[in-house]
Each structure stands twice: as C-alpha cells, then as structure tokens.
C-alpha cells in the first residue's frame, strides 16, 4: 500500500465535491476529534433562520474551531467541499497565522500549481480506489522524545581551544574522539562559525558528535549565512564570514561537502524533554515553539527585531524574553552579554567568547552554569557588552 507522508501537526484541507466519500475517507484515516466537518458545524447552527445565513454561521464556526485547534498545535483535518479558492483562502490564512503548513488533500486530479499559488505548501492527490497508509512525520524541531541530560553551549564562533576547555570542564573525554559523560548530550545554540580562529575544527568536532547522536545543534544566523555562501548565493563577507570562508578553503572538497550537508540540515530550533526545554539561537516566543515556517526560522535566527537599524547599523532588537511567560525553559544566544542572562524562564548563554568574554554552558536539568574565559580577544564587539569595555 502506498505511504503518504504528512507533517504533524499541520492543517489538512480536504478538497472534493462528494460529501459522503470525503467524510468516509476522513473518518477512516483520522481520529474523530481531529476532524472538523462543515456538516457538523451546519447541524449545530441551522436550527432557525434562512439557509444562507446559517451557511455563513456554519463556516464562521468551522473557522473558529480550526483556529483554536491550530493555536494549541493540534493536527486538524477540515472536511468540507472547498471547491473554490474563496472557500480555501481563510484556511490558508489560518495556517499561516499559526505557523503551520496548509496541506491540500484532493479527491481526483488536483492542479498543484494553482493550489501552490493559493498558499498550499503541499498538494496530495487521493484516489478512493487506491488505499493508502498515512505516515505522520513530526516536524524537525520536535525532539520531545529526548529528555537529556543536556549540556547546552553558547555561541562558539570558531573558538575551538575554549570549546575543548569547556568540554573538559563538563567532563567530556577528549581523545581521538570526544565523548560525553554517559547519557549526556551536547546542545549547541548555533553560531559555530565566523570571527574566531578555528571554525573548521569546531565544525568537525560538532559534526562528529552529531553523527554519533552525542550532540544537537540549531542554526545560528552566522551558520545560515555561511550556508548561503557555500550554496553560491551572494552574501557579503562581513561580520567574520571572511575568516570562515578562508578557513574552509584550506579543507578538502569532501570536508566542505560534509559542512554543506550539516549546515543545510540544521533545524530552526528544538523542542526537547517533553516540551520542557526549547533551544533557539535568537530565542523564540511561546506561540512559535514546535512550529516551523519562515517566520519561525527568522525569529529563531535573529530574535525579535523591529526591522529598523540603529546608529551602529545593527538591527534594533526587541526584548522578547521580557514578555515570555511560557512553561518551557528557552535557552538561546545571539546577543553577547557579560554574564548568562536569566529573564523569566529564558537564559542567554552567549557570553561573547570570541570578543574576549567567556564560553558558557548550562547543565540541564541541573541549571548549573559552567564557563571558561576566552584565551584572547579575537574580534572587537560593535556594541560593548563587557563591563571593562563600558568603563572605557
Ligand atoms: Mn553569535
């Protein structure tokens, strides 16, 4: 039986004119409480009034139910004919508002290009004569199954020597290969590269650990920019990228291919430990946890910004952590601070090692900070963050 992979959670929009056929298929493939059916909504509101008004009420109820389910991140199947773009547009908008993928499941022969233009991110054709098995695929950030314990490590930026010292402090065995203490997993908050002296050694170490499931890493904005450079996209070799590019040029094509695959596979963020721990380079507000669209990726890479730049030409950042009231501990980096910064249930681990600060780690669930000082200052911060710099 053919297997149909489906992202979970997602908004699944059934498209087809035959009510009985569509509803039977939905009931055969999904739990009853995952299906929002227009027929049910119509029954609930159609006790009086004229038919057209009742129809509008039924659609409003359906949209409301879908919105509430997507807000909490539940996979939702919408069972209605959805024959015109106008029928489908409100659902595409809801999926976008809640940062989940809208998927069109079409009975008969769909027009994938037209549906893609409407905003559907995946279009699947269903043939009722041909049974299929649905396979639900968790979104890449979802590693709720991993419960740690973890050693979360702030922005490394090519500071390989300090990384080794930190790992030693954390009890890692440093031999031909680096091994964590039994049961522990390293989690890098991103920005492995740029500005520092040994980005390729950092990459080799983290890729090696990741290949043995001994480390996880989320994408940082610097990692992402290096990826785009390696993909041949036009990027400016600024903010320390030139150093990484020069270091990579001295490596073999095979190594560069591994780096390209590794950086290309980095996820925006991770949700770990049954949802109790979230890791994102720039931080992540609660409504985006576990979701994975462009807005989630932008927030994860750059944090919350106003879109404006300040007098130094740096993006104006918003203090999302001050407004964070989620239950999950959010561990992030990106903005150098003199000391790990705890704010509500978040902690910034970027203590600016490459700028002469420290490389910091958080042991989880112990909530214990372990840090090593930078061996030297490899780059000048554009915005001073160390007390000694502020004193002039
Ligand atoms: Mn950084």
């Amino acid at each position: 039986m053919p297997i149909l992979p489906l992202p979970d959670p997602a908004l699944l929009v059934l498209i087809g004119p035959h009510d009985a056929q569509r509803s039977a298929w939905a009931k055969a493939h999904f739990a009853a409480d995952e299906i929002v059916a227009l027929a049910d909504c119509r029954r609930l509101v159609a006790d009086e009034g004229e038919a057209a008004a009742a129809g509008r009420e039924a659609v409003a109820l359906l949209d409301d139910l879908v919105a509430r389910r997507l807000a909490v991140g539940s996979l939702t199947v919408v069972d209605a004919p959805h024959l015109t773009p106008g029928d489908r547009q409100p659902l595409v908008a809801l999926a976008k508002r809640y940062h989940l993928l809208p998927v069109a499941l079409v009975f008969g022969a769909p027009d994938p290009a037209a549906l893609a233009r409407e905003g559907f991110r995946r279009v699947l054709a269903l043939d009722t004569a041909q049974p299929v098995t649905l396979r639900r695929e968790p979104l890449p950030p979802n590693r709720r199954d991993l419960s740690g314990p973890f050693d979360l490590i702030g922005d490394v930026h090519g500071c390989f020597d300090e990384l080794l010292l930190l790992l030693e402090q954390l009890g890692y065995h440093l031999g031909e290969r680096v091994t964590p203490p039994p049961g522990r997993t390293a989690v890098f908050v991103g920005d492995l590269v740029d500005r520092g002296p040994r980005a390729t050694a950092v990459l080799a170490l983290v890729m090696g650990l990741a290949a043995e499931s001994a480390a996880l890493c989320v994408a940082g904005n610097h990692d992402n920019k290096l990826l785009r450079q390696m993909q041949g996209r036009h990027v400016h070799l600024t903010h320390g990228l030139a150093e990484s590019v020069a270091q990579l040029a001295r490596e073999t094509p095979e190594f560069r291919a591994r780096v390209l695959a590794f950086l290309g596979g980095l996820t925006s963020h991770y949700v770990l430990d049954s949802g109790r721990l979230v890791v994102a380079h720039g931080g992540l507000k609660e409504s985006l946890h576990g979701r994975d669209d462009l807005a989630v990726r932008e927030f994860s890479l750059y944090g919350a910004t106003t879109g404006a730049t300040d007098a130094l030409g740096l993006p104006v950042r918003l203090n999302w952590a001050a407004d964070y009231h989620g239950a999950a501990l959010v561990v992030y980096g990106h903005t150098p601070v003199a000391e790990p910064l705890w704010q509500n249930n978040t902690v910034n681990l970027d203590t600016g090692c490459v700028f002469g600060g420290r490389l910091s780690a958080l042991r989880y669930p112990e909530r214990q900070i372990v840090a090593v000082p930078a061996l030297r200052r490899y780059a000048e911060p554009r915005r001073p963050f160390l007390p000694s710099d502020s004193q002039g």
Side-chain angles (χ1 to χ4, degrees):
M1 206 185 291
I3 290 172
L4 208 59
L6 287 175
D8 182 8
L11 176 62
L12 310 179
V13 179
L14 301 184
I15 300 174
H18 304 297
D19 292 340
Q21 175 200 54
R22 216 183 45 241
S23 297
W25 190 88
K27 288 189 180 107
H29 290 89
F30 296 94
D33 59 12
E34 292 176 315
I35 303 167
V36 178
L38 183 58
D40 294 336
C41 296
R42 197 169 276 142
R43 196 163 36 72
L44 289 165
V45 299
D47 51 347
E48 53 190 293
E50 49 126 353
R56 283 194 299 275
E57 282 299 300
V59 170
L61 176 58
L62 181 138
D63 287 351
D64 193 35
L65 288 169
V66 169
R68 286 166 193 278
R69 290 184 57 81
L70 298 187
V72 296
S74 299
L75 178 135
T76 300
V77 182
V78 190
D79 175 14
H82 297 128
L83 297 182
T84 70
D87 295 340
R88 301 185 285 259
Q89 190 281 326
L91 294 168
V92 172
L94 283 175
K96 185 172 177 167
R97 187 196 301 168
Y98 294 104
H99 307 284
L100 293 170
L101 290 191
V103 178
L105 292 162
V106 187
F107 293 88
D111 180 348
L115 289 166
R117 276 195 300 277
E118 289 178 29
F120 285 97
R121 300 294 302 280
R122 212 180 285 181
V123 178
L124 301 165
L126 301 175
D127 175 358
T128 41
Q130 169 70 69
V132 290
T133 301
L134 303 185
R135 190 179 61 216
R136 296 173 181 223
E137 298 188 329
L139 303 183
N142 180 0
R143 293 308 310 268
R144 303 166 66 96
D145 56 307
L146 300 177
S147 57
F150 300 110
D151 300 309
L152 300 128
I153 299 173
D155 298 38
V156 181
H157 283 299
C159 295
F160 182 67
D161 296 334
E162 290 85 350
L163 177 56
L164 288 184
L165 291 168
L166 180 67
L167 291 173
E168 195 169 31
Q169 285 271 314
L170 290 166
Y172 285 59
H173 174 75
L174 310 181
E176 234 164 82
R177 24 182 284 235
V178 173
T179 340
R184 297 196 75 91
T185 305
V187 184
F188 292 86
V189 306
D191 276 6
L192 299 177
V193 303
D194 290 1
R195 295 196 172 106
R198 298 189 67 190
T200 51
V202 172
L203 284 167
L205 173 54
V206 177
M207 291 189 299
L209 284 170
E212 293 171 13
S213 301
L216 298 170
C217 183
V218 298
N221 54 308
H222 284 266
D223 311 314
N224 182 255
K225 196 173 170 193
L226 175 60
L227 170 67
R228 288 185 286 132
Q229 192 276 337
M230 294 180 82
Q231 287 170 334
R233 312 258 291 275
H234 177 76
V235 296
H236 295 285
L237 297 180
T238 50
H239 307 300
L241 177 59
E243 285 87 324
S244 299
V245 170
Q247 291 160 29
L248 275 164
R250 295 195 285 270
E251 301 291 333
T252 63
E254 290 75 21
F255 181 81
R256 282 196 296 275
R258 277 182 63 212
V259 170
L260 188 60
F262 174 75
L263 295 178
L266 294 180
T267 184
S268 58
H269 70 288
Y270 276 117
V271 178
L272 304 168
D273 193 19
S274 304
R276 286 186 279 266
L277 176 64
V278 170
V279 183
H281 179 68
L284 201 60
K285 62 180 177 180
E286 190 181 23
S287 60
L288 304 183
H289 293 182
R291 300 167 200 240
D292 199 25
D293 69 354
L294 190 61
V296 173
R297 285 192 285 276
E298 292 278 309
F299 198 117
S300 298
L301 287 176
Y302 305 103
T305 60
T306 63
T309 51
D310 67 9
L312 294 171
L314 299 171
V316 176
R317 294 176 183 182
L318 292 168
N319 189 357
W320 66 274
D323 300 322
Y324 181 75
H325 301 291
L329 170 65
V330 180
V331 179
Y332 67 107
H334 187 51
T335 305
V337 284
E339 298 282 340
L341 177 65
W342 292 89
Q343 211 176 351
N344 296 321
N345 205 7
T346 76
V347 59
N348 177 358
L349 291 182
D350 182 11
T351 43
C353 185
V354 79
F355 300 120
R358 274 177 290 170
L359 186 60
S360 295
L362 174 74
R363 282 190 167 124
Y364 176 97
E366 298 87 344
R367 297 201 178 211
Q368 177 195 14
I369 295 285
V370 177
V372 297
L375 298 174
R376 49 172 288 228
R377 179 183 280 217
Y378 304 96
E380 289 300 319
R382 293 180 70 189
R383 187 188 275 146
F385 67 96
L386 293 170
S388 53
D389 289 345
S390 306
Q391 284 154 21

